[in-house]
Amino acid sequence: TLSADFTLGGDSVLVGRTALDANGDRLRLETFALYLGGIELLTDTGAVRLSDAERWDAGNPNNWTYDVRPGVYEGFRVHLGVPAEFNTDTDPTIWPNDHPLGVSGSAGLFWSWNTGYIFSKFDGKADTTGGNDFTHPYAYHIGGDANLIEVRLDDPWVVNPCSRHGFSLAGDILDFLSGGDDPIDVAIDNVTHTGDNPALAARYVQGQRNTVTLTRTP
């Protein structure tokens, strides 16, 4: 079982929830969604693909279960985003409609056939006045093959018949803004759709890369 145990300021990720960021601004969440792609068990000879992609939106069930063959595995990995072989120049209609990469499954997370999928989306309004005035919009929409992030755990273990094993992908989404070498201030740098502001997208991706963890759970 893989779970996406993300938080917002230490609390659960729910639309409408507010939290203080590292700059003391209060952020109200309107959208949080992301793709987990290329979910794989690692072996001594390669990898076993469990899923091409899963989608998680704020407030939705956050775990996925897979059946695997018993044996010895060397590790586990998940990508934040959609693997390159399914991203650019891919038509969502090649997938079943309700597949995470299909037409309905990708609703709100697909730009166009030639620019690919939105890997993650973090939108809302912020109060930057120290009060309760949520009028300052922010939107971080990340995509592009160069921004695919591998989150990997190299930890050999044995899967016995009829056993269960869990993995937790975790991180506080506010740390996506503050976790890089150049922290993001929503009062100043508040919008990127990747292509229109690639420098800001890169800063956000670095925050993701530095703060998202993958661990085994009992």
Side-chain angles (χ1 to χ4, degrees), residues 1-3 5 40-42 71-78 151-160 163-170 213-218:
T1 297
L2 171 66
S3 61
D5 298 315
E40 296 176 331
L41 293 169
L42 304 177
V72 178
Y73 294 95
E74 300 299 318
F76 189 76
R77 69 179 171 192
V78 182
V151 187
R152 178 174 177 140
L153 178 66
D154 292 304
D155 183 15
W157 85 103
V158 177
V159 175
N160 293 312
S163 61
R164 295 184 64 87
H165 304 265
F167 293 87
S168 170
L169 192 70
T213 61
L214 180 64
T215 59
R216 284 179 60 190
T217 58

Side-chain angles (χ1 to χ4, degrees), residues 121-205:
K121 180 181 284 191
F122 180 20
D123 293 348
K125 298 290 195 307
D127 172 76
T128 59
T129 67
N132 198 37
D133 185 18
F134 294 98
T135 59
H136 186 77
Y138 63 89
Y140 303 96
H141 298 179
I142 307 302
D145 295 340
N147 291 321
L148 184 70
I149 299 172
E150 179 189 67
V151 187
R152 178 174 177 140
L153 178 66
D154 292 304
D155 183 15
W157 85 103
V158 177
V159 175
N160 293 312
C162 301
S163 61
R164 295 184 64 87
H165 304 265
F167 293 87
S168 170
L169 192 70
D172 196 296
I173 65 177
L174 292 183
D175 291 338
F176 299 173
L177 304 176
S178 62
D181 295 336
D182 186 8
I184 297 169
D185 183 349
V186 298
I188 301 170
D189 296 316
N190 59 316
V191 176
T192 177
H193 300 283
T194 303
D196 62 347
N197 195 340
L200 181 56
R203 292 162 63 193
Y204 183 91
V205 168

Side-chain angles (χ1 to χ4, degrees), residues 54-163:
E54 306 288 0
R55 172 177 174 163
W56 186 62
D57 291 72
N60 284 354
N62 67 332
N63 59 76
W64 304 268
T65 299
Y66 310 100
D67 293 329
V68 304
R69 291 182 179 274
V72 178
Y73 294 95
E74 300 299 318
F76 189 76
R77 69 179 171 192
V78 182
H79 297 82
L80 304 184
V82 176
E85 63 263 35
F86 305 127
N87 188 28
T88 52
D89 298 325
T90 297
D91 187 339
T93 61
I94 69 173
W95 302 93
N97 196 47
D98 59 353
H99 187 280
L101 300 178
V103 175
S104 292
S106 67
L109 288 183
F110 190 78
W111 277 307
S112 66
W113 71 271
N114 62 342
T115 55
Y117 293 88
I118 300 173
F119 293 174
S120 64
K121 180 181 284 191
F122 180 20
D123 293 348
K125 298 290 195 307
D127 172 76
T128 59
T129 67
N132 198 37
D133 185 18
F134 294 98
T135 59
H136 186 77
Y138 63 89
Y140 303 96
H141 298 179
I142 307 302
D145 295 340
N147 291 321
L148 184 70
I149 299 172
E150 179 189 67
V151 187
R152 178 174 177 140
L153 178 66
D154 292 304
D155 183 15
W157 85 103
V158 177
V159 175
N160 293 312
C162 301
S163 61

